[in-house]
Each structure stands twice: as structure tokens, then as C-alpha cells.
Amino acid sequence: MDKPIQTRALQTRARLLEIGRAHFMRDGVSGLRVEQIVAEAGVAKGTFFSHFGDKEGLLTLLIGERMTAALDRIAAAAPPDAPDEFATALAPLMAEMAPDAQTFDIVLRHSGATGTDEEGPIARNFLAQVEVLTGWIARLQPDAVRADADPALLAEGVQAFMAHAMALTFCALHSATGIDARLRPFLRTWLAPLPVR
Amino acid sequence: MDKPIQTRALQTRARLLEIGRAHFMRDGVSGLRVEQIVAEAGVAKGTFFSHFGDKEGLLTLLIGERMTAALDRIAAAAPPDAPDEFATALAPLMAEMAPDAQTFDIVLRHSGATGTDEEGPIARNFLAQVEVLTGWIARLQPDAVRADADPALLAEGVQAFMAHAMALTFCALHSATGIDARLRPFLRTWLAPLPVR
DNA sequence: TAGCGAAAGTGACCACGGTCAACTTTCGGA
DNA sequence: TCCGAAAGTTGACCGTGGTCACTTTCGCTA
């Protein structure tokens, strides 16, 4: 019924992860060769794939752990007091999500775009993002953030704008302005409280 | 100075495009093999790459021409009279942009995410989308659409939500509801006119 | 029309992710 | 302590995208 994982397998997996992490930190996504990792770990190619499914399987773990750390730090800090501060608060997370186009690509592909129960640390991170954002938003309603919409909907919208702003990073025309500067006008318009009637 | 393109090259290119289009229409992105196309066209592999750069070069042309056709049809039709009609009006375009995950992936990667001058029919389509949307929005301001924001910013925001809604299509949890149903609440909240003070 | 330079096309070759049938190791129970 | 089944591992093999030094074709001018 249960399937006990042998320590041998855990060790192999840990070794692959560690070596993969080293390569990822040094060269990013593009400089990660399965054959290289496998050679350094002293195992056969097939072993890699039996552990991670495919190359992206490892990458999602590596990217996911960085995203998790970033989000944890953000959640532990003081929540922003106004929509304008959202972008700055989220900047460290976005830096992990989109250090380069290939990474961002993987993040998007495994995002489950806010809300699948499907596996994966990236998808889980997106769910956690919504929770954090929802908390921030609910806390600021109704004075600093519009109260005529569901906080969860607003939170998802923030994610959509984050993706938009990150994508613009890889476009020559917009890469000059910082990512939070690009995000801010959208969030301001999206979250602005309705004028008092 | 000028570089006259030989008719021979044009014919080869046209043949590759035509065969590629046939495969794309039958099997989508995933069922497109460069070697197959090249064999049917009776040319060498290198010829393909000298014409399109890489496999995605051809795919962006094929996807781009479908997106262009869809957007042209939308632009020619009557503009929507309320935010709620945006989603329905845009549905045919979104169907071309995201018939499957792989296609959507390519679209995103070549979008220039609204606003690079960089080449490519997909990036150009994104620019054209903004123009169409800006027109729609400006037309409805200030009664049916909020007037406190720049129409271009609102248009870009619509694109961000479109991407979000399309991404949700490939997520088990959300694929049940139609894409326009998913998009509508966001657009309603994003574009809703401010209450009269 | 010979011949030259550039454009177009060729195909052997490579890189690299991924597969799978066979083999080895582990471990619980008889 | 031996056995069988399942977990773990192996590495030869494959598919496919992409490269590049070389050949062929074309248009032009002397």
C-alpha cells in the first residue's frame, strides 16, 4: 500500500538537486544540461528522468524554492499601506520569477495561472500569492482600496498585471523603466478606491 | 545595396509555408516536424532554416496570419457597447491565440507583451489589438467606461486580463467555464464607470 | 558568352532531451 | 537465511531541432 522510499534513492535525488542547483545559480536556466548534471552526480541519464520526469521537473523545483523563499519573506514583512506600495513589496518575488525570459516562461507554464490544484511548487506559490494579496487587499478596504469587488478577484487581477509587467521586462522598448514603475499605474487604477459619492 | 530576392527563393518559401500551413491546420503546433515539411517540399533541411531562422519562425507566421484575420474581422464588426460585450467580441481572437497550450506559449513568447517595435506578425498583432481596444474604450468613455484613466492604459490592462483568462483555459479547475465567462468579471471591474458623485 | 560574385540550396553532422527493456539492489516475510 | 517482488538504476538508443562548410544556381557585366 505505502511505498517506502529507499535512502539510496533519497541520496541520489539530493545529489542531483544539489548539483542542479549549483548550475542553476551559476548559469541560470539556459546553462543547465541534464547530461552534465548526471555526469557530475555519477549516475545514468535514466535516473535523472525517473526522479524528475523531465528537465523542467527539476527546474520547477529550483525555481519554486526560490519563489517560496521570496514570498515567505514578503509575507513576513509588514503589509503595504497603499496600492502604490504593492509593486515595491512584490519586486523581490518578481525578480525571482523573471530573472530572464526562459525562467519566466517556465513560471508561466507551470503557474496553473492562479488556481489549479495540480502539483508543483510554482502552482502552489501562485495560490499562496493570492492568499497574501487577498489579505493585503481586504485589510485596506474600504478606505485605501475599492470595496465594490471581491478581494480574491482583485488579488487575481494583481497577478495578471504582475505577469504583464514582467513580460514587458523582456521587451527592448520597456526594459529601461523598472518593473515596479511599470506595474504601479496598473495597480493604482485597478485598486483605487471609488470616489466618495 | 539592395538585395533582390530571386523568384526561386520565393517559390521555395511559398512551398514551405503552404505545406507548413497544411500540417499546422491538421495537427496544430505539436504535430509539425521540420523534417516532414522539408521532405514534402523536396528541399534540404538547411533551406528551411535559412528561410525561417528556426521552427518557431514559421510557426509565428502561421499563427500570426490567423490572429491577423481574426482581429481584422473583429475590427470590421460593430464595436461593443458595454464592457460586458468585450469578452464576447474578443472570443474569436482568443480562440486563435490559445487553441492549445503550445500555441499560447508561442504567442506569449512573441507578443513583445504589448509594445515592442521588434519584428514579427504576433507582436504587430498585439500592437493592433491595443489600437482597436483603445478605440472601443475611448468611444464608450465617459458613460459606459471609467474616464479617470488613459484609454491606452485601460486597453493594455484588457490585454493582461485576456492573457490571464486564456492561461486559465489550460488549468483543469477552470476549463469548465468558457473563456469569455472567465474574462467578464475582470473587465467589468476594470472598465466599470465610476459612480456619479 | 565567359566568368565572377552573391544568393540559394545541400546534407552530413552535432547537441541534447527523452525512452525503455534489462539489470541490480533493497527489504519484508516465510 | 533464503526468496520474490518492487524500487532503483543503467546506458544504448532514438527523434528532432539546428549548424555549417560546401556546391549549385542566378544575374550581371566585360
Side-chain angles (χ1 to χ4, degrees):
Chain A
M1 197 66 192
D2 56 344
K3 38 176 181 176
I5 299 166
Q6 301 177 8
T7 48
R8 174 179 52 146
L10 288 176
Q11 283 171 353
T12 304
R13 188 191 169 87
R15 199 143 26 99
L16 289 169
L17 258 175
E18 187 180 0
I19 294 170
R21 190 180 295 120
H23 281 260
F24 178 66
M25 298 229 277
R26 182 158 14 90
D27 308 321
V29 170
S30 57
L32 200 146
R33 296 287 113 85
V34 173
E35 284 183 330
Q36 177 75 20
I37 292 175
V38 149
E40 284 180 33
V43 299
K45 230 175 175 184
T47 303
F48 179 95
F49 291 99
S50 83
H51 275 285
F52 304 110
D54 56 13
K55 187 184 169 181
E56 280 202 6
L58 172 63
L59 284 172
T60 55
L61 293 180
L62 296 175
I63 297 169
E65 69 185 23
R66 296 185 67 86
M67 286 173 63
T68 302
L71 185 59
D72 284 350
R73 259 177 269 126
I74 290 174
D81 286 319
D84 262 355
E85 296 172 25
F86 275 45
T88 314
L90 292 168
L93 176 60
M94 293 193 287
E96 295 298 343
M97 293 171 75
D100 54 73
Q102 294 90 24
T103 304
F104 181 52
D105 208 60
I106 293 174
V107 168
L108 276 189
R109 203 170 320 118
H110 291 82
S111 66
T114 302
T116 174
D117 45 352
E118 309 300 344
E119 274 315 296
I122 294 181
R124 248 176 288 130
N125 188 275
F126 268 72
L127 288 177
Q129 284 178 31
V130 172
E131 273 172 49
V132 171
L133 290 170
T134 303
W136 287 358
I137 287 167
R139 175 174 165 271
L140 296 182
Q141 284 174 328
D143 291 331
V145 167
R146 63 193 295 178
D148 66 324
D150 180 21
L153 181 84
L154 292 175
E156 259 196 62
V158 171
Q159 276 190 327
F161 287 128
M162 285 169 66
H164 188 74
M166 286 187 277
L168 287 179
T169 308
F170 310 114
C171 143
L173 213 64
H174 293 80
S175 56
T177 45
I179 188 166
D180 45 350
R182 245 174 290 122
L183 181 53
R184 208 164 288 133
F186 287 104
L187 294 192
R188 190 179 297 165
T189 306
W190 176 236
L191 298 175
L194 302 176
V196 187
R197 46 172 300 106
Chain B
M1 197 68 192
D2 56 342
K3 39 176 181 177
I5 300 164
Q6 300 177 9
T7 47
R8 174 179 53 145
L10 288 176
Q11 283 170 354
T12 304
R13 188 190 168 86
R15 198 144 26 99
L16 288 169
L17 259 175
E18 186 181 1
I19 293 169
R21 191 180 294 119
H23 281 259
F24 178 66
M25 298 230 276
R26 182 158 14 92
D27 308 319
V29 170
S30 57
L32 200 145
R33 296 286 114 84
V34 173
E35 284 185 330
Q36 177 75 20
I37 292 175
V38 150
E40 285 180 34
V43 298
K45 230 176 176 183
T47 302
F48 179 97
F49 291 99
S50 81
H51 274 286
F52 303 111
D54 57 13
K55 188 184 172 182
E56 280 202 7
L58 172 63
L59 285 171
T60 55
L61 294 181
L62 296 175
I63 296 169
E65 69 186 23
R66 296 185 67 87
M67 286 173 63
T68 303
L71 185 60
D72 284 350
R73 258 177 269 124
I74 290 174
D81 286 320
D84 261 357
E85 296 172 24
F86 275 46
T88 314
L90 292 168
L93 176 60
M94 293 194 286
E96 296 296 344
M97 293 171 75
D100 54 73
Q102 294 89 24
T103 303
F104 182 53
D105 208 60
I106 293 173
V107 168
L108 275 190
R109 202 169 324 116
H110 292 81
S111 65
T114 303
T116 175
D117 45 353
E118 309 301 341
E119 275 315 297
I122 294 180
R124 249 176 287 129
N125 188 275
F126 269 72
L127 286 177
Q129 284 177 30
V130 173
E131 273 173 47
V132 171
L133 289 170
T134 304
W136 286 0
I137 288 166
R139 175 174 164 272
L140 295 182
Q141 284 175 328
D143 292 331
V145 167
R146 64 193 296 177
D148 66 325
D150 180 22
L153 181 85
L154 292 175
E156 260 195 62
V158 171
Q159 276 191 327
F161 287 128
M162 284 169 66
H164 188 74
M166 286 188 279
L168 287 179
T169 308
F170 310 114
C171 143
L173 214 63
H174 294 80
S175 56
T177 46
I179 188 168
D180 46 350
R182 245 174 290 123
L183 181 53
R184 208 165 289 133
F186 288 104
L187 294 191
R188 190 180 296 163
T189 307
W190 178 236
L191 298 175
L194 303 176
V196 187
R197 50 174 296 104

